[in-house]
Amino acid sequence: MTVAEGLPAAGWGLRAEIVVEREHFAVDVAVQVAVGETLAVMGPSGAGKSTLLQALAGLQPLTAGEIEVAGRVVDRVATPRVQTAPMNRGIVLLGQDARLFPHLSVRENVAFGPRAAGSDARAARGTADEWLARVGLPGAGDRMPRELSGGEGQRVAVARALAASPRAVLLDEPLVALDPSTAGDIRQMLRDQLTGITTIAVTHDAADAVALADRLVVIEAGRVTQSGPVRAVLSAPATGFVASIAGVNRLVGVAADGGWESGGRHLTSADAGSLALAAVGGVPLAAVFRPEHVQVVDDGEADAWRTEVTRLEPTLAGVRVQTASCAIDVSLAVAAGLAPGDTVHLRIDPERVRFVSVR
């Protein structure tokens, strides 16, 4: 879909075709975000996620393409050339570092945007106090940035960004440096405060994508490899990377005998959609299933396959066993009898297997 197609009823809050040449590959990504929608962006390290945000914010020159915010073109490489300064795009970028002005109080930090937009000092400070209350820091206006915890600093950064009434907000992994409890609190605050605001959120955590976003775009080596509603993408991973963030096994094979086959292994599925995909023999197919649903069984059990243990990794619930064919989660008791190099026989119930197309 091009950026001109499929306009939602609410209109596009942000739409862009981004091309940025890098040393080893070009980032070539089109994104469209409806007014008030949150789009999550995920991908391996170095895939181009931060380059995308930097280009949208005006901090990275485009090689080609166009960026439009709330119906206004703010960047275009083709004639007539448009190149709007970052501070005039109506876009704010929030990263891992809150980057508060160290010499200004919390209140003056948050008031900076309204004052820059022309509000008088009193009104801007009133707006700042309102936003501080909304992000969970009422009465904190007189404190200095050095007196804040990491989580409090991120709350102030969010307040400062939103007090400027941006057209769009870009989040570049703002929770990655926080402990799990604080990250959970900030995630909920973001979900509440970003309602109705056009947002692109780059994250490495599937929990962030599920909690914050309506849709998910996956970028690998500068290209979009999968996109769609968050849960739909994670439940039907099109690549190994998406499978890894979704926490599932994705084994590529072909359709055979109404199921999936690869290297002598044959899996079946009870899912109607999966059966339809497996109906044409020889078609590339991926079998998707969760590690905890795989069973270690005795040799000779029906529908079991033979494989070798390659690595054992302790987990909170037991042990993740990596085998030559897939990952499985087992209890400590089962893992006690296993070691790298051991042969095991595995089986998975057809109710736990889904087939997805291989592009």
Side-chain angles (χ1 to χ4, degrees):
M1 183 175 72
T2 67
V3 294
E5 297 173 341
L7 182 68
W12 293 122
L14 186 153
R15 63 189 187 113
E17 290 178 344
I18 302 293
V19 179
V20 176
E21 291 288 344
R22 294 183 21 169
E23 183 178 359
H24 300 295
F25 61 85
V27 175
D28 188 347
V29 175
V31 293
Q32 307 89 26
V33 191
V35 172
E37 181 185 28
T38 294
L39 175 72
V41 177
M42 302 187 77
S45 296
K49 307 181 298 299
S50 292
T51 298
L52 169 65
L53 295 193
Q54 294 283 320
L56 290 170
L59 305 175
Q60 169 68 56
L62 298 180
T63 303
E66 178 177 299
I67 301 169
E68 181 180 296
V69 181
R72 178 172 71 100
V73 175
V74 298
D75 206 338
R76 181 194 292 129
V77 175
T79 305
R81 182 73 168 98
V82 178
Q83 192 169 21
T84 306
M87 68 285 294
N88 297 325
R89 293 189 174 210
I91 295 176
V92 296
L93 173 61
L94 290 173
Q96 300 172 20
D97 186 346
R99 295 189 178 180
L100 302 177
F101 302 123
H103 61 290
L104 297 180
S105 69
V106 165
R107 180 182 293 106
E108 294 300 333
N109 262 278
V110 180
F112 182 86
R115 293 194 68 175
S119 292
D120 62 61
R122 182 175 180 179
R125 288 166 184 154
T127 299
D129 284 338
E130 291 173 7
W131 272 106
L132 287 170
R134 289 179 66 171
V135 300
L137 291 174
D142 292 328
R143 296 168 66 184
M144 299 299 290
R146 63 179 177 274
E147 300 171 338
L148 304 175
S149 67
E152 289 171 334
Q154 282 292 29
R155 289 177 184 269
V156 175
V158 170
R160 183 176 64 178
L162 299 185
S165 300
R167 296 285 190 174
V169 173
L170 310 178
L171 304 177
D172 192 1
E173 300 194 272
L175 308 181
V176 71
L178 303 176
D179 65 81
S181 177
T182 302
D185 291 341
I186 302 298
R187 187 183 296 117
Q188 182 60 54
M189 182 271 292
L190 286 170
R191 183 177 177 84
D192 293 340
Q193 299 307 324
L194 292 174
T195 299
I197 297 175
T198 303
T199 305
I200 294 181
V202 165
T203 179
H204 71 289
D205 191 336
D208 291 345
V210 171
L212 297 174
D214 306 286
R215 291 186 297 120
L216 171 62
V217 166
V218 179
I219 299 175
E220 299 181 62
R223 300 293 191 276
V224 174
T225 56
Q226 193 169 2
S227 64
V230 178
R231 292 185 186 277
V233 169
L234 295 178
S235 66
T239 70
F241 170 77
V242 182
S244 70
I245 61 175
V248 299
N249 289 295
R250 177 182 180 272
L251 309 185
V252 177
V254 297
D257 299 327
W260 171 96
E261 187 174 275
S262 176
R265 292 167 292 167
H266 185 79
L267 299 179
T268 58
S269 174
D271 175 66
S274 297
L275 292 173
L277 289 174
V280 181
V283 173
L285 205 61
V288 176
F289 51 91
R290 300 195 67 82
E292 63 266 29
H293 293 154
V294 184
Q295 301 169 310
V296 179
V297 297
D298 294 330
D299 184 10
E301 185 162 333
D303 300 322
W305 72 92
R306 183 173 180 266
T307 189
E308 182 178 299
V309 174
T310 59
R311 189 170 69 252
L312 286 84
E313 304 168 352
T315 66
L316 292 176
V319 177
R320 168 70 55 89
V321 179
Q322 299 288 345
T323 75
S325 60
C326 66
I328 65 175
D329 287 341
V330 301
S331 67
L332 291 173
V334 171
L338 299 177
D342 285 352
T343 295
V344 291
H345 294 82
L346 307 178
R347 181 186 180 279
I348 185 165
D349 192 307
E351 296 283 347
R352 301 294 195 178
V353 180
R354 294 184 65 234
F355 300 145
V356 298
S357 298
V358 175
R359 300 175 185 175

